[in-house]
Amino acid sequence: MKYAVVTGTSKGFGASIAERLLKAGVNVVGIARNQNQQLNQVADESRVSYQHFTCNLTDVDRLDRIFEKINDQVFKKDTELVYLINNAATVNPIDIATKHTIEAVQAHMQLNLIAPIITTALVLKRAKHCGIKTIITNISSGAADRSTYGWSAYGASKAGLNRYTNTVALEQKELGTKHKVILFNPSIMDTNMQGDIRSASPESFQAVDQFKQYKEDNQLSDTSDVAEVLVDILMDEEKIINGKYYQIKDYR
Ligand SMILES: NC(=O)c1ccc[n+]([C@@H]2O[C@H](COP(=O)([O-])OP(=O)(O)OC[C@H]3O[C@@H](n4cnc5c(N)ncnc54)[C@H](OP(=O)(O)O)[C@@H]3O)[C@@H](O)[C@H]2O)c1
């Protein structure tokens, strides 16, 4: 049996990743503040299980207790492989750095950077204890690789996630484990996050008109198409290269 823990399954890319995994025969545990009833139906049709954990991932102090329960659900006697996909994130606050509040920056970093760091560690720790192989995917963004006016928090959290992922991958290689940790950059997709980006003011986000144009020109990918590529990569697990930065643009 294969299990996947996916964060941010209520909508957007995370919902599509969970759906594709269920259809591929993987049991899924989803985490978000809101439920996604459709995934229960997909699980029934695919004869696998879908379990939802309601959790605000900015409450990082609760993650060890929640992942104690989640790890019990996925690291079982007959488990051959556990995937963790750290997908949940926010682009907010969108504004120049001097306008950021402490609360907004704190919530951003907790969700985008600290939560994936903690979940990666908790899953790898349990994987080591159980001797079950695990493959962790951290969802990145092009924003990590270049500076965008108004996205200092988002660029910083995604760049931090990239470095963290590369470092943990290196450690696992040096330790000679079978676990793999990778990055996946989905590029621009038609989700609520893009709605947040388009609703920013030009004073907060200089490139807002360009992003409105992407939407008008139908340049935003369908999350289901991008999730299909990611899940195809994950299903061919022997071929996955530990530490690799996978990008959707290389599969088009
Ligand atoms: N969309 C793009 O163009 C794009 C481009 C590059 C990279 N990405 C990356 O792709 C990933 C998915 O983005 P998306 O566009 O699908 O975003 P989205 O549509 O805004 O969905 C975000 C998901 O994360 C969950 N989430 C948000 N805050 C949370 C919290 N505090 N606790 C728990 N769950 C939370 C949401 O669920 P609840 O609200 O129910 O909690 C939702 O399921 C992100 O890592 C993003 O950085 C997106």
Side-chain angles (χ1 to χ4, degrees):
M1 298 265 267
K2 289 182 182 175
Y3 286 86
V5 181
V6 185
T7 67
T9 43
S10 63
K11 56 181 183 257
F13 189 40
S16 294
I17 296 169
E19 185 174 340
R20 288 277 171 189
L21 285 166
L22 291 166
K23 286 181 175 165
V26 179
N27 301 288
V28 175
V29 170
I31 304 171
R33 291 166 300 182
N34 300 286
Q35 292 232 30
N36 181 340
Q37 296 299 349
Q38 206 200 321
L39 294 175
N40 291 314
Q41 203 184 320
V42 177
D44 287 348
E45 286 162 9
S46 310
R47 296 178 188 279
V48 286
S49 68
Y50 178 74
Q51 208 182 339
H52 175 81
F53 278 74
T54 301
C55 170
N56 186 339
L57 288 163
T58 62
D59 293 340
V60 290
D61 293 345
R62 293 180 57 221
L63 284 179
D64 53 350
R65 266 184 293 140
I66 288 168
F67 266 74
E68 187 71 32
K69 287 190 198 138
I70 291 174
N71 280 337
D72 286 347
Q73 294 298 313
V74 302
F75 286 98
K76 293 184 173 164
K77 262 201 186 121
D78 57 352
T79 302
E80 56 184 276
L81 180 62
V82 173
Y83 297 102
L84 167 66
I85 297 158
N86 283 309
N87 160 79
T90 181
V91 67
N92 296 315
I94 300 177
D95 214 331
I96 59 168
T98 49
K99 297 254 178 89
H100 289 171
T101 64
I102 293 172
E103 292 77 14
V105 172
Q106 203 167 14
H108 179 97
M109 290 299 167
Q110 280 164 337
L111 177 64
N112 284 26
L113 187 57
I114 299 176
I117 285 177
I118 293 174
T119 59
T120 296
L122 293 172
V123 167
L124 278 174
K125 213 166 156 181
R126 181 68 76 94
K128 184 182 179 211
H129 177 76
C130 299
I132 293 172
K133 185 173 173 175
T134 186
I135 296 174
I136 300 176
T137 307
N138 290 327
I139 302 300
S140 190
S141 164
D145 309 319
R146 58 180 174 270
S147 297
T148 307
Y149 185 105
W151 284 6
S152 57
Y154 189 56
S157 63
K158 290 295 185 183
L161 189 63
N162 285 7
R163 175 58 58 211
Y164 174 77
T165 307
N166 291 337
T167 309
V168 177
L170 176 134
E171 289 168 356
Q172 293 301 309
K173 181 178 162 241
E174 294 298 320
L175 290 165
T177 75
K178 52 194 172 181
H179 312 308
K180 298 177 187 178
V181 194
I182 62 167
L183 289 159
F184 182 80
N185 176 2
S187 197
I188 48 174
M189 302 174 290
D190 199 2
T191 67
N192 282 25
M193 184 178 279
Q194 284 290 328
D196 286 350
I197 292 167
R198 288 192 300 275
S199 66
S201 70
E203 294 73 39
S204 308
F205 179 52
Q206 281 183 342
V208 66
D209 287 341
Q210 187 188 346
F211 277 77
K212 286 180 182 168
Q213 201 62 48
Y214 289 151
K215 173 74 173 166
E216 270 181 36
D217 296 346
N218 280 325
Q219 285 191 50
L220 303 177
S221 305
D222 187 316
T223 54
S224 191
D225 296 342
V226 184
E228 184 179 11
V229 171
L230 173 59
V231 171
D232 280 353
I233 292 168
L234 293 177
M235 289 301 106
D236 204 355
E237 73 237 21
E238 291 305 322
K239 281 207 185 136
I240 295 174
I241 300 167
N242 182 36
K244 183 169 170 171
Y245 182 33
Y246 289 87
Q247 304 203 62
I248 188 68
K249 70 176 176 61
D250 297 331
Y251 292 82
R252 287 181 167 142

